[in-house]
Structure formats: C-alpha cells, structure tokens
Coordinates of all heavy atoms in Angstrom, one line a residue:
M1 N -38.9 -67.2 14.9 CA -40.0 -67.8 14.1 C -40.6 -66.7 13.2 O -41.3 -65.9 13.7 CB -41.0 -68.4 15.1 CG -42.2 -69.0 14.3 SD -43.2 -70.0 15.4 CE -44.2 -68.8 16.2
P2 N -40.2 -66.6 12.0 CA -40.7 -65.6 11.1 C -42.2 -65.8 10.8 O -42.7 -66.9 10.7 CB -39.9 -65.7 9.8 CG -39.3 -67.0 9.9 CD -39.3 -67.5 11.3
L3 N -42.9 -64.7 10.6 CA -44.3 -64.7 10.2 C -44.4 -64.2 8.8 O -43.5 -63.8 8.2 CB -45.1 -63.9 11.2 CG -45.0 -64.3 12.7 CD1 -45.8 -63.4 13.6 CD2 -45.6 -65.7 12.9
R4 N -45.6 -64.1 8.2 CA -45.8 -63.7 6.8 C -45.3 -62.4 6.5 O -44.7 -62.2 5.4 CB -47.3 -63.7 6.5 CG -47.9 -65.1 6.3 CD -49.3 -65.0 5.8 NE -49.9 -66.3 5.9 CZ -51.2 -66.5 5.6 NH1 -51.9 -65.5 5.2 NH2 -51.7 -67.7 5.7
D5 N -45.4 -61.4 7.4 CA -45.0 -60.0 7.1 C -43.6 -59.8 7.6 O -43.2 -58.6 7.7 CB -46.0 -59.0 7.7 CG -46.0 -59.1 9.2 OD1 -45.3 -59.9 9.8 OD2 -46.7 -58.2 9.8
S6 N -42.8 -60.8 7.8 CA -41.4 -60.8 8.3 C -41.3 -60.3 9.7 O -40.2 -59.9 10.2 CB -40.5 -60.0 7.4 OG -40.7 -58.6 7.5
S7 N -42.4 -60.2 10.5 CA -42.3 -60.0 11.9 C -42.0 -61.3 12.5 O -42.2 -62.4 11.9 CB -43.7 -59.5 12.4 OG -44.1 -58.3 11.9
N8 N -41.4 -61.3 13.7 CA -41.1 -62.6 14.3 C -41.1 -62.6 15.8 O -40.9 -61.6 16.4 CB -39.8 -63.1 13.7 CG -38.6 -62.2 14.0 OD1 -38.6 -61.5 15.0 ND2 -37.7 -62.2 13.1
F9 N -41.3 -63.8 16.4 CA -41.1 -64.0 17.8 C -39.6 -64.4 18.0 O -39.0 -64.9 17.1 CB -42.0 -65.2 18.3 CG -43.4 -64.8 18.4 CD1 -44.3 -65.2 17.4 CD2 -43.9 -64.1 19.5 CE1 -45.6 -64.9 17.5 CE2 -45.2 -63.8 19.6 CZ -46.1 -64.2 18.6
F10 N -39.1 -64.0 19.2 CA -37.7 -64.4 19.4 C -37.5 -64.8 20.9 O -38.3 -64.4 21.8 CB -36.7 -63.3 19.1 CG -36.9 -62.0 19.9 CD1 -36.2 -61.9 21.1 CD2 -37.8 -61.0 19.5 CE1 -36.4 -60.7 21.8 CE2 -37.9 -59.9 20.2 CZ -37.3 -59.7 21.4
L11 N -36.5 -65.7 21.1 CA -36.1 -66.1 22.4 C -34.7 -65.8 22.6 O -33.9 -65.9 21.6 CB -36.3 -67.7 22.6 CG -37.7 -68.2 22.4 CD1 -37.6 -69.7 22.4 CD2 -38.5 -67.8 23.6
S12 N -34.3 -65.5 23.8 CA -32.8 -65.3 24.0 C -32.5 -65.7 25.4 O -33.4 -65.7 26.3 CB -32.4 -63.8 23.8 OG -33.1 -63.0 24.8
A13 N -31.3 -66.2 25.6 CA -30.8 -66.7 26.9 C -29.3 -66.4 26.9 O -28.7 -66.5 25.9 CB -31.2 -68.1 27.1
G14 N -28.8 -66.2 28.1 CA -27.4 -66.0 28.3 C -27.0 -65.8 29.7 O -27.9 -65.9 30.6
G15 N -25.8 -65.4 29.9 CA -25.3 -65.2 31.2 C -25.1 -63.7 31.4 O -25.1 -62.9 30.5
Y16 N -24.8 -63.3 32.7 CA -24.4 -61.9 33.0 C -23.4 -62.0 34.1 O -23.3 -62.9 34.9 CB -25.6 -61.1 33.4 CG -26.1 -61.3 34.8 CD1 -25.6 -60.6 35.9 CD2 -27.1 -62.3 35.0 CE1 -26.0 -60.8 37.1 CE2 -27.5 -62.5 36.3 CZ -27.0 -61.8 37.4 OH -27.4 -62.0 38.7
V17 N -22.6 -60.9 34.2 CA -21.7 -60.7 35.3 C -21.9 -59.3 35.7 O -22.0 -58.3 34.9 CB -20.2 -60.8 34.8 CG1 -19.3 -60.5 35.9 CG2 -20.0 -62.3 34.3
G18 N -22.0 -59.1 37.0 CA -22.2 -57.7 37.6 C -21.1 -57.4 38.6 O -20.6 -58.3 39.3
I19 N -20.7 -56.2 38.7 CA -19.7 -55.7 39.7 C -20.3 -54.6 40.5 O -20.8 -53.6 39.9 CB -18.4 -55.2 38.9 CG1 -17.8 -56.3 38.1 CG2 -17.4 -54.7 40.0 CD1 -16.7 -55.9 37.2
G20 N -20.3 -54.8 41.8 CA -20.9 -53.7 42.7 C -19.9 -52.6 42.9 O -18.8 -52.8 43.2
L21 N -20.4 -51.4 42.6 CA -19.6 -50.2 42.8 C -20.0 -49.4 44.0 O -19.1 -48.9 44.8 CB -19.7 -49.3 41.5 CG -19.3 -49.9 40.2 CD1 -19.6 -49.0 39.1 CD2 -17.8 -50.3 40.3
F22 N -21.3 -49.2 44.2 CA -21.8 -48.4 45.4 C -23.3 -48.7 45.5 O -23.9 -49.2 44.6 CB -21.5 -46.9 45.3 CG -22.1 -46.3 44.0 CD1 -23.4 -45.8 44.0 CD2 -21.3 -46.2 42.9 CE1 -23.9 -45.3 42.8 CE2 -21.8 -45.7 41.7 CZ -23.1 -45.2 41.7
G23 N -23.9 -48.3 46.6 CA -25.3 -48.5 46.8 C -25.7 -48.2 48.2 O -24.8 -47.9 49.1
K24 N -27.0 -48.2 48.5 CA -27.5 -47.9 49.8 C -28.6 -49.0 50.2 O -29.3 -49.5 49.3 CB -28.2 -46.6 49.9 CG -27.2 -45.4 50.1 CD -28.0 -44.2 50.5 CE -27.1 -43.0 50.6 NZ -26.2 -43.1 51.7
N25 N -28.6 -49.4 51.4 CA -29.6 -50.2 52.0 C -30.6 -49.4 52.8 O -30.1 -48.6 53.6 CB -29.0 -51.3 52.9 CG -29.1 -52.7 52.4 OD1 -29.8 -52.9 51.4 ND2 -28.5 -53.6 53.1
Y26 N -31.9 -49.5 52.5 CA -32.9 -48.8 53.4 C -33.5 -49.8 54.3 O -34.1 -50.8 53.8 CB -33.9 -48.1 52.5 CG -33.2 -47.0 51.7 CD1 -32.8 -47.1 50.4 CD2 -33.1 -45.7 52.3 CE1 -32.2 -46.1 49.7 CE2 -32.5 -44.7 51.6 CZ -32.0 -44.9 50.3 OH -31.4 -43.8 49.6
V27 N -33.4 -49.6 55.6 CA -33.9 -50.6 56.5 C -34.9 -49.9 57.4 O -34.7 -48.8 58.0 CB -32.7 -51.1 57.4 CG1 -33.1 -52.1 58.4 CG2 -31.6 -51.6 56.5
P28 N -36.1 -50.6 57.6 CA -37.1 -50.0 58.5 C -36.5 -49.9 60.0 O -35.8 -50.8 60.4 CB -38.2 -51.0 58.5 CG -38.0 -51.9 57.3 CD -36.5 -51.8 57.0
D29 N -36.8 -48.8 60.6 CA -36.3 -48.6 62.0 C -37.5 -48.2 62.8 O -38.2 -47.3 62.5 CB -35.2 -47.5 61.9 CG -34.5 -47.3 63.3 OD1 -35.2 -47.5 64.3 OD2 -33.4 -46.8 63.3
S30 N -37.7 -48.8 63.9 CA -38.8 -48.6 64.8 C -38.8 -47.2 65.4 O -39.8 -46.6 65.8 CB -39.0 -49.7 65.8 OG -37.9 -49.7 66.7
Y31 N -37.6 -46.6 65.6 CA -37.4 -45.4 66.2 C -37.6 -44.2 65.3 O -38.3 -43.2 65.5 CB -36.1 -45.3 67.0 CG -35.9 -44.0 67.7 CD1 -36.6 -43.8 68.9 CD2 -35.0 -43.1 67.3 CE1 -36.4 -42.6 69.6 CE2 -34.8 -41.9 68.0 CZ -35.5 -41.7 69.2 OH -35.3 -40.5 69.8
T32 N -36.9 -44.2 64.2 CA -36.9 -43.1 63.2 C -37.8 -43.3 62.0 O -38.0 -42.4 61.2 CB -35.5 -42.7 62.8 OG1 -34.9 -43.8 62.1 CG2 -34.6 -42.3 63.9
G33 N -38.2 -44.5 61.8 CA -39.0 -44.8 60.6 C -38.2 -45.6 59.6 O -38.5 -46.7 59.2
T34 N -37.1 -45.0 59.1 CA -36.2 -45.8 58.2 C -34.7 -45.3 58.4 O -34.5 -44.2 59.0 CB -36.5 -45.5 56.7 OG1 -36.3 -44.1 56.4 CG2 -37.8 -46.0 56.3
A35 N -33.8 -46.2 58.1 CA -32.4 -45.9 58.2 C -31.7 -46.3 56.9 O -32.1 -47.3 56.3 CB -31.8 -46.6 59.4
S36 N -30.7 -45.6 56.5 CA -30.0 -46.0 55.3 C -28.5 -46.3 55.7 O -28.0 -45.6 56.5 CB -30.1 -44.9 54.2 OG -29.4 -43.8 54.6
H37 N -28.0 -47.3 55.0 CA -26.6 -47.6 55.3 C -25.9 -47.8 53.9 O -26.5 -48.5 53.0 CB -26.5 -48.9 56.1 CG -27.2 -48.9 57.4 ND1 -26.7 -48.3 58.5 CD2 -28.4 -49.4 57.7 CE1 -27.5 -48.4 59.5 NE2 -28.6 -49.1 59.0
D38 N -24.7 -47.3 53.7 CA -24.0 -47.5 52.5 C -23.5 -49.0 52.4 O -23.2 -49.6 53.4 CB -22.8 -46.6 52.4 CG -23.1 -45.2 52.2 OD1 -24.2 -44.9 51.6 OD2 -22.3 -44.3 52.5
F39 N -23.5 -49.5 51.2 CA -23.0 -50.9 51.0 C -21.5 -50.8 51.2 O -20.8 -49.9 50.8 CB -23.2 -51.4 49.6 CG -24.6 -51.8 49.3 CD1 -25.1 -51.6 48.0 CD2 -25.4 -52.4 50.2 CE1 -26.4 -52.0 47.7 CE2 -26.7 -52.8 49.9 CZ -27.2 -52.6 48.6
T40 N -21.0 -51.9 51.8 CA -19.6 -52.1 51.8 C -19.4 -53.5 51.2 O -20.2 -54.4 51.4 CB -19.0 -52.1 53.3 OG1 -19.7 -53.0 54.1 CG2 -19.1 -50.7 53.8
F41 N -18.3 -53.7 50.6 CA -18.1 -54.9 49.8 C -17.0 -55.8 50.4 O -16.1 -55.3 51.0 CB -17.8 -54.6 48.3 CG -18.9 -53.9 47.6 CD1 -18.9 -52.5 47.5 CD2 -20.0 -54.6 47.2 CE1 -19.9 -51.9 46.8 CE2 -21.1 -54.0 46.6 CZ -21.0 -52.6 46.4
G42 N -17.1 -57.1 50.1 CA -16.1 -58.1 50.6 C -16.6 -59.0 51.6 O -17.8 -58.9 52.0
N43 N -15.8 -59.9 52.1 CA -16.2 -60.8 53.1 C -16.6 -60.2 54.5 O -17.4 -60.8 55.2 CB -15.1 -61.9 53.4 CG -14.9 -62.8 52.2 OD1 -15.9 -63.0 51.5 ND2 -13.7 -63.3 52.1
T44 N -16.1 -59.1 54.8 CA -16.5 -58.4 56.1 C -17.5 -57.3 55.8 O -17.9 -56.7 56.8 CB -15.2 -57.8 56.7 OG1 -14.6 -56.8 55.8 CG2 -14.2 -58.9 57.1
G45 N -17.9 -57.1 54.6 CA -18.9 -56.1 54.3 C -20.3 -56.5 54.3 O -20.6 -57.6 54.8
T46 N -21.2 -55.8 53.7 CA -22.6 -56.1 53.6 C -23.0 -56.8 52.3 O -24.1 -57.4 52.2 CB -23.5 -54.8 53.7 OG1 -23.1 -54.0 52.6 CG2 -23.3 -54.1 55.0
Q47 N -22.1 -56.9 51.3 CA -22.4 -57.5 50.0 C -21.0 -58.0 49.5 O -20.0 -57.5 49.8 CB -22.9 -56.5 49.0 CG -24.1 -55.7 49.4 CD -25.3 -56.5 49.3 OE1 -25.5 -57.1 48.2 NE2 -26.1 -56.5 50.3
Q48 N -21.1 -59.1 48.6 CA -20.0 -59.5 47.8 C -20.0 -58.6 46.6 O -21.0 -58.1 46.1 CB -20.2 -60.9 47.4 CG -20.1 -61.9 48.5 CD -18.7 -62.0 49.1 OE1 -17.7 -61.8 48.4 NE2 -18.7 -62.4 50.4
R49 N -18.8 -58.2 46.1 CA -18.7 -57.3 45.0 C -19.1 -57.9 43.6 O -19.8 -57.3 42.8 CB -17.3 -56.8 44.9 CG -17.1 -55.7 43.8 CD -15.8 -55.0 43.8 NE -15.5 -54.3 45.0 CZ -15.9 -53.1 45.3 NH1 -16.6 -52.4 44.4 NH2 -15.5 -52.5 46.4
M50 N -18.8 -59.2 43.4 CA -19.1 -59.8 42.1 C -20.4 -60.6 42.2 O -20.8 -61.2 43.2 CB -18.0 -60.8 41.7 CG -16.7 -60.2 41.4 SD -16.6 -59.1 40.0 CE -17.0 -60.3 38.7
D51 N -21.1 -60.6 41.1 CA -22.4 -61.3 40.9 C -22.4 -61.9 39.5 O -21.9 -61.3 38.6 CB -23.6 -60.4 41.1 CG -24.9 -61.1 41.0 OD1 -25.0 -62.3 41.3 OD2 -25.9 -60.5 40.5
Y52 N -23.0 -63.1 39.4 CA -23.2 -63.7 38.0 C -24.4 -64.5 38.0 O -24.9 -64.9 39.1 CB -22.0 -64.5 37.6 CG -21.5 -65.5 38.6 CD1 -22.1 -66.8 38.6 CD2 -20.5 -65.2 39.5 CE1 -21.7 -67.7 39.5 CE2 -20.1 -66.2 40.4 CZ -20.7 -67.4 40.4 OH -20.3 -68.3 41.3
G53 N -25.0 -64.7 36.9 CA -26.2 -65.5 36.8 C -26.7 -65.7 35.3 O -25.9 -65.5 34.4
I54 N -27.9 -66.0 35.1 CA -28.5 -66.3 33.8 C -29.7 -65.4 33.6 O -30.3 -65.0 34.5 CB -28.9 -67.8 33.7 CG1 -29.8 -68.2 34.8 CG2 -27.6 -68.7 33.7 CD1 -30.3 -69.6 34.6
N55 N -30.0 -65.2 32.3 CA -31.2 -64.4 32.0 C -31.9 -65.1 30.8 O -31.3 -65.7 29.9 CB -31.0 -62.9 31.8 CG -29.9 -62.7 30.8 OD1 -29.7 -63.4 29.8 ND2 -29.2 -61.5 30.9
F56 N -33.2 -64.9 30.7 CA -34.0 -65.4 29.6 C -35.0 -64.3 29.1 O -35.5 -63.5 30.0 CB -34.9 -66.6 30.1 CG -34.1 -67.7 30.7 CD1 -33.9 -67.8 32.0 CD2 -33.5 -68.6 29.9 CE1 -33.2 -68.8 32.6 CE2 -32.8 -69.7 30.4 CZ -32.6 -69.8 31.8
N57 N -35.2 -64.2 27.8 CA -36.1 -63.2 27.3 C -37.0 -63.9 26.2 O -36.5 -64.8 25.5 CB -35.4 -62.0 26.6 CG -34.8 -61.2 27.7 OD1 -35.5 -60.5 28.4 ND2 -33.4 -61.1 27.7
V58 N -38.2 -63.4 26.0 CA -39.1 -63.8 24.9 C -39.7 -62.5 24.4 O -40.1 -61.6 25.2 CB -40.1 -64.9 25.3 CG1 -41.0 -64.4 26.4 CG2 -40.9 -65.3 24.1
G59 N -39.8 -62.4 23.1 CA -40.4 -61.1 22.6 C -40.9 -61.3 21.2 O -40.9 -62.3 20.6
Y60 N -41.4 -60.1 20.7 CA -42.0 -60.1 19.4 C -41.4 -58.8 18.7 O -41.4 -57.7 19.2 CB -43.5 -60.0 19.5 CG -44.2 -59.9 18.1 CD1 -44.3 -61.1 17.3 CD2 -44.8 -58.8 17.7 CE1 -44.9 -61.0 16.1 CE2 -45.5 -58.7 16.5 CZ -45.5 -59.9 15.7 OH -46.1 -59.8 14.5
R61 N -40.9 -59.0 17.5 CA -40.3 -57.9 16.7 C -41.1 -57.7 15.4 O -41.4 -58.6 14.7 CB -38.9 -58.2 16.3 CG -38.2 -57.1 15.6 CD -36.7 -57.5 15.3 NE -36.3 -58.9 15.4 CZ -35.5 -59.4 16.4 NH1 -34.9 -58.6 17.2 NH2 -35.2 -60.6 16.4
L62 N -41.6 -56.4 15.2 CA -42.3 -56.1 14.0 C -41.4 -55.8 12.8 O -40.2 -55.5 13.0 CB -43.1 -54.8 14.3 CG -44.2 -54.9 15.3 CD1 -44.8 -53.5 15.6 CD2 -45.3 -55.8 14.9
R63 N -41.8 -55.9 11.6 CA -41.0 -55.7 10.5 C -40.5 -54.3 10.5 O -39.4 -54.0 10.0 CB -41.9 -55.9 9.2 CG -41.1 -55.7 7.9 CD -41.9 -56.0 6.7 NE -43.1 -55.0 6.7 CZ -43.9 -54.9 5.7 NH1 -43.7 -55.6 4.6 NH2 -44.8 -54.0 5.7
S64 N -41.2 -53.3 11.0 CA -40.7 -51.9 11.1 C -39.6 -51.7 12.0 O -38.9 -50.7 12.0 CB -41.9 -51.0 11.5 OG -42.3 -51.4 12.8
G65 N -39.2 -52.7 12.9 CA -38.1 -52.6 13.8 C -38.5 -52.5 15.2 O -37.7 -52.6 16.1
Y66 N -39.7 -52.1 15.5 CA -40.2 -52.0 16.9 C -40.3 -53.4 17.5 O -40.6 -54.4 16.8 CB -41.5 -51.3 17.0 CG -41.4 -49.8 16.6 CD1 -41.8 -49.4 15.3 CD2 -41.0 -48.9 17.5 CE1 -41.6 -48.1 15.0 CE2 -40.8 -47.6 17.2 CZ -41.2 -47.2 16.0 OH -41.0 -45.8 15.6
M67 N -40.1 -53.5 18.8 CA -40.1 -54.8 19.5 C -40.6 -54.6 20.9 O -40.5 -53.5 21.5 CB -38.8 -55.5 19.4 CG -37.7 -54.7 20.1 SD -36.1 -55.5 19.7 CE -35.6 -55.9 21.4
V68 N -41.1 -55.7 21.4 CA -41.5 -55.8 22.8 C -41.1 -57.1 23.4 O -41.1 -58.1 22.7 CB -43.1 -55.6 23.0 CG1 -43.8 -56.6 22.3 CG2 -43.5 -55.5 24.4
S69 N -40.6 -57.1 24.6 CA -40.1 -58.4 25.2 C -40.3 -58.4 26.7 O -40.4 -57.3 27.3 CB -38.6 -58.6 24.9 OG -37.8 -57.7 25.5
V70 N -40.3 -59.6 27.3 CA -40.4 -59.8 28.7 C -39.2 -60.7 29.1 O -38.8 -61.6 28.3 CB -41.7 -60.3 29.2 CG1 -42.8 -59.4 29.0 CG2 -42.0 -61.7 28.6
G71 N -38.7 -60.5 30.3 CA -37.5 -61.4 30.6 C -37.4 -61.6 32.1 O -38.2 -61.0 32.9
Y72 N -36.5 -62.5 32.5 CA -36.3 -62.9 33.8 C -34.8 -63.1 34.0 O -34.1 -63.7 33.2 CB -37.0 -64.2 34.2 CG -36.7 -64.7 35.6 CD1 -37.3 -64.0 36.7 CD2 -35.9 -65.8 35.8 CE1 -37.0 -64.4 38.0 CE2 -35.7 -66.2 37.1 CZ -36.2 -65.5 38.2 OH -36.0 -65.9 39.5
L73 N -34.2 -62.6 35.1 CA -32.8 -62.7 35.5 C -32.7 -63.4 36.8 O -33.4 -63.0 37.7 CB -32.2 -61.3 35.5 CG -30.8 -61.1 36.0 CD1 -30.1 -60.0 35.3 CD2 -30.8 -60.8 37.5
Q74 N -31.9 -64.4 36.9 CA -31.7 -65.1 38.2 C -30.2 -65.2 38.5 O -29.4 -65.7 37.7 CB -32.2 -66.6 38.0 CG -31.9 -67.4 39.2 CD -32.7 -67.0 40.5 OE1 -33.9 -66.8 40.5 NE2 -31.9 -66.7 41.5
G75 N -29.9 -64.6 39.6 CA -28.5 -64.6 40.1 C -28.1 -66.0 40.6 O -28.9 -66.7 41.3
I76 N -26.9 -66.5 40.3 CA -26.5 -67.8 40.7 C -25.6 -67.7 42.0 O -25.7 -68.5 42.9 CB -25.7 -68.5 39.6 CG1 -26.6 -68.8 38.4 CG2 -25.0 -69.8 40.1 CD1 -25.9 -69.3 37.2
R77 N -24.8 -66.6 42.1 CA -23.9 -66.4 43.2 C -24.6 -65.9 44.4 O -25.5 -65.0 44.3 CB -22.8 -65.5 42.8 CG -21.8 -65.3 44.0 CD -20.5 -64.7 43.5 NE -19.6 -64.9 44.6 CZ -18.8 -63.9 45.0 NH1 -18.8 -62.7 44.4 NH2 -17.9 -64.1 46.0
D78 N -24.3 -66.4 45.6 CA -24.8 -65.8 46.8 C -24.0 -64.6 47.1 O -22.8 -64.6 47.3 CB -24.6 -66.9 47.9 CG -25.1 -66.4 49.3 OD1 -25.7 -65.3 49.4 OD2 -24.9 -67.1 50.3
T79 N -24.7 -63.4 47.1 CA -24.0 -62.1 47.3 C -23.9 -61.7 48.7 O -23.4 -60.6 49.0 CB -24.7 -61.0 46.4 OG1 -26.0 -60.9 46.8 CG2 -24.5 -61.3 45.0
A80 N -24.4 -62.5 49.7 CA -24.3 -62.2 51.1 C -22.8 -62.4 51.5 O -22.1 -63.3 50.9 CB -25.2 -63.1 51.9
P81 N -22.4 -61.7 52.5 CA -21.0 -61.9 52.9 C -20.8 -63.3 53.5 O -21.8 -63.9 53.9 CB -20.8 -60.8 54.0 CG -22.1 -60.2 54.3 CD -23.0 -60.6 53.2
D82 N -19.6 -63.8 53.6 CA -19.3 -65.1 54.1 C -19.8 -65.4 55.5 O -20.2 -66.5 55.8 CB -17.8 -65.5 54.0 CG -17.3 -65.6 52.6 OD1 -18.2 -65.8 51.7 OD2 -16.1 -65.5 52.4
H83 N -19.8 -64.4 56.3 CA -20.2 -64.6 57.7 C -21.7 -64.5 57.9 O -22.2 -64.7 59.0 CB -19.6 -63.5 58.6 CG -19.9 -62.1 58.2 ND1 -21.1 -61.5 58.5 CD2 -19.2 -61.2 57.6 CE1 -21.1 -60.3 58.0 NE2 -19.9 -60.1 57.5
A84 N -22.5 -64.3 56.9 CA -24.0 -64.1 57.0 C -24.6 -65.4 57.3 O -24.2 -66.5 56.8 CB -24.5 -63.4 55.8
A85 N -25.7 -65.4 58.0 CA -26.5 -66.6 58.3 C -27.7 -66.7 57.3 O -28.6 -67.5 57.5 CB -27.1 -66.5 59.7
Y86 N -27.6 -66.0 56.2 CA -28.7 -66.1 55.2 C -28.0 -66.1 53.8 O -26.8 -65.8 53.6 CB -29.5 -64.8 55.3 CG -28.8 -63.5 55.2 CD1 -28.6 -62.9 54.0 CD2 -28.2 -62.9 56.3 CE1 -27.9 -61.7 53.9 CE2 -27.5 -61.7 56.2 CZ -27.3 -61.1 55.0 OH -26.6 -60.0 54.9
E87 N -28.8 -66.4 52.8 CA -28.4 -66.3 51.4 C -29.1 -65.2 50.7 O -30.2 -64.8 51.1 CB -28.8 -67.6 50.7 CG -28.0 -68.8 51.1 CD -28.3 -70.1 50.3 OE1 -29.2 -70.0 49.4 OE2 -27.6 -71.1 50.5
Q88 N -28.4 -64.6 49.8 CA -28.9 -63.4 49.1 C -28.6 -63.5 47.6 O -27.4 -63.6 47.2 CB -28.3 -62.2 49.7 CG -28.8 -60.9 49.1 CD -28.2 -59.7 49.9 OE1 -28.2 -59.7 51.1 NE2 -27.6 -58.8 49.2
R89 N -29.6 -63.6 46.7 CA -29.3 -63.7 45.3 C -30.2 -62.7 44.6 O -31.3 -62.4 45.0 CB -29.7 -65.1 44.8 CG -28.6 -66.1 45.2 CD -28.9 -67.5 44.7 NE -27.9 -68.4 45.0 CZ -27.6 -69.0 46.2 NH1 -28.4 -68.7 47.2 NH2 -26.6 -69.8 46.3
N90 N -29.7 -62.1 43.5 CA -30.4 -61.2 42.7 C -31.5 -61.9 41.8 O -31.2 -62.9 41.3 CB -29.5 -60.3 41.8 CG -28.7 -59.4 42.7 OD1 -29.2 -58.7 43.6 ND2 -27.4 -59.2 42.4
R91 N -32.6 -61.2 41.7 CA -33.7 -61.7 40.7 C -34.3 -60.4 40.2 O -34.4 -59.4 40.9 CB -34.8 -62.5 41.5 CG -34.4 -63.8 42.0 CD -35.5 -64.5 42.6 NE -36.0 -63.7 43.7 CZ -36.7 -64.2 44.7 NH1 -37.0 -65.4 44.7 NH2 -37.0 -63.4 45.7
A92 N -34.7 -60.5 38.9 CA -35.4 -59.4 38.3 C -36.3 -59.8 37.2 O -36.0 -60.8 36.4 CB -34.4 -58.4 37.8
Y93 N -37.4 -59.2 37.0 CA -38.3 -59.3 35.9 C -38.2 -58.0 35.0 O -38.0 -57.0 35.6 CB -39.7 -59.5 36.3 CG -40.0 -60.7 37.1 CD1 -40.0 -60.7 38.5 CD2 -40.2 -61.9 36.4 CE1 -40.2 -61.9 39.2 CE2 -40.4 -63.1 37.1 CZ -40.4 -63.1 38.5 OH -40.7 -64.2 39.2
S94 N -38.3 -58.2 33.7 CA -38.1 -57.0 32.9 C -39.2 -57.0 31.8 O -39.7 -58.0 31.4 CB -36.7 -56.9 32.2 OG -36.6 -58.0 31.4
F95 N -39.5 -55.8 31.4 CA -40.5 -55.5 30.3 C -39.8 -54.5 29.4 O -39.4 -53.4 29.9 CB -41.8 -55.1 30.8 CG -42.8 -54.7 29.7 CD1 -43.4 -55.7 29.0 CD2 -43.0 -53.4 29.4 CE1 -44.3 -55.3 27.9 CE2 -43.9 -53.0 28.4 CZ -44.5 -54.0 27.7
T96 N -39.6 -54.7 28.1 CA -38.9 -53.8 27.3 C -39.7 -53.5 26.0 O -40.3 -54.3 25.4 CB -37.6 -54.5 26.8 OG1 -36.8 -54.9 28.0 CG2 -36.8 -53.5 26.0
I97 N -39.7 -52.2 25.7 CA -40.3 -51.7 24.4 C -39.1 -51.0 23.8 O -38.5 -50.1 24.4 CB -41.4 -50.7 24.6 CG1 -42.6 -51.4 25.3 CG2 -41.9 -50.2 23.3 CD1 -43.7 -50.5 25.7
G98 N -38.8 -51.4 22.5 CA -37.6 -50.8 21.9 C -37.7 -50.8 20.4 O -38.8 -51.1 19.8
Y99 N -36.6 -50.4 19.8 CA -36.5 -50.3 18.3 C -35.2 -50.9 17.9 O -34.1 -50.5 18.5 CB -36.6 -48.8 17.8 CG -36.6 -48.7 16.3 CD1 -37.7 -49.0 15.6 CD2 -35.4 -48.4 15.7 CE1 -37.6 -48.9 14.2 CE2 -35.3 -48.3 14.3 CZ -36.5 -48.6 13.6 OH -36.4 -48.5 12.2
Q100 N -35.1 -51.8 17.0 CA -33.9 -52.3 16.5 C -33.6 -51.8 15.1 O -34.4 -51.8 14.2 CB -34.0 -53.9 16.4 CG -32.7 -54.5 16.0 CD -32.8 -56.0 16.0 OE1 -33.9 -56.6 16.1 NE2 -31.7 -56.7 16.0
F101 N -32.4 -51.2 15.0 CA -31.9 -50.6 13.7 C -31.5 -51.6 12.7 O -31.1 -52.7 13.0 CB -30.8 -49.6 14.0 CG -31.1 -48.5 14.8 CD1 -30.8 -48.5 16.2 CD2 -31.8 -47.4 14.3 CE1 -31.2 -47.4 17.0 CE2 -32.1 -46.3 15.1 CZ -31.8 -46.3 16.5

C-alpha cells in the first residue's frame, strides 16, 4: 500500500523448509543443575531431521530503503520422533530492521 512519499506497508506470506544438522538440548537436572544432550535425528533419535511450515510478515518500508517488520513462523510438521508420546512443532516470532537495495 503506497503512501504519498512512496513509503509503503507490506505483507508477506509463504512456506519454509528446514533441515536439522546438529544441536543441543539443555534439560534441567535435579542433581547437577542442567544437562545437555546432542540431538540425534530420525525415528529412533530425539528429533526428525526435516521440518516445514508457514510464515507471515507485516512491515513498513521507507522511501530511503530502510524497513521494519514483525513476523510469525508456525511449523506444520511434528518434529518429535515417531515413538514419542508428545508432539513438537517449531514456532517463532521475529522483529526485523533492515535496508533494501
């Protein structure tokens, strides 16, 4: 939606695909305080390797090229292993300040 000075509001939406490469889980432990475990991937691991979902953004772009936006990402795939008694999906909120060339 352009404004008088060619600044504009914008909306964006789309999908994403993620591939797990490595990571750590930090788990509270009553004996030592915290414990860390490396992620393992696959049906017998701690995570599924592939993830996919949707994201939405709304923002404002100035004529000079500077912009600010906020967004939300929602995972669709359950990334918990098949044997898990729980569901696990990624979610994220974002705030961006940037410049568009």
Side-chain angles (χ1 to χ4, degrees):
M1 178 166 81
L3 303 175
R4 285 186 192 179
D5 65 354
S6 74
S7 298
N8 58 30
F9 287 98
F10 62 89
L11 297 171
S12 63
Y16 77 88
V17 174
I19 300 172
L21 300 175
F22 56 88
K24 282 193 181 289
N25 244 352
Y26 293 95
V27 181
D29 184 331
S30 61
Y31 182 70
T32 62
T34 60
S36 68
H37 305 280
D38 289 334
F39 286 148
T40 55
F41 296 101
N43 289 334
T44 60
T46 59
Q47 306 282 312
Q48 294 291 333
R49 186 173 295 278
M50 294 293 297
D51 180 32
Y52 52 86
I54 57 176
N55 56 27
F56 304 96
N57 289 294
V58 60
Y60 183 71
R61 184 177 16 245
L62 297 170
R63 181 177 63 169
S64 63
Y66 290 99
M67 59 189 241
V68 61
S69 69
V70 295
Y72 177 72
L73 173 143
Q74 174 66 55
I76 295 173
R77 181 164 194 226
D78 181 7
T79 57
D82 289 342
H83 59 76
Y86 57 90
E87 291 185 354
Q88 181 175 312
R89 289 183 172 76
N90 288 317
R91 291 183 295 203
Y93 295 98
S94 64
F95 175 75
T96 306
I97 298 173
Y99 182 80
Q100 185 176 15
F101 297 97

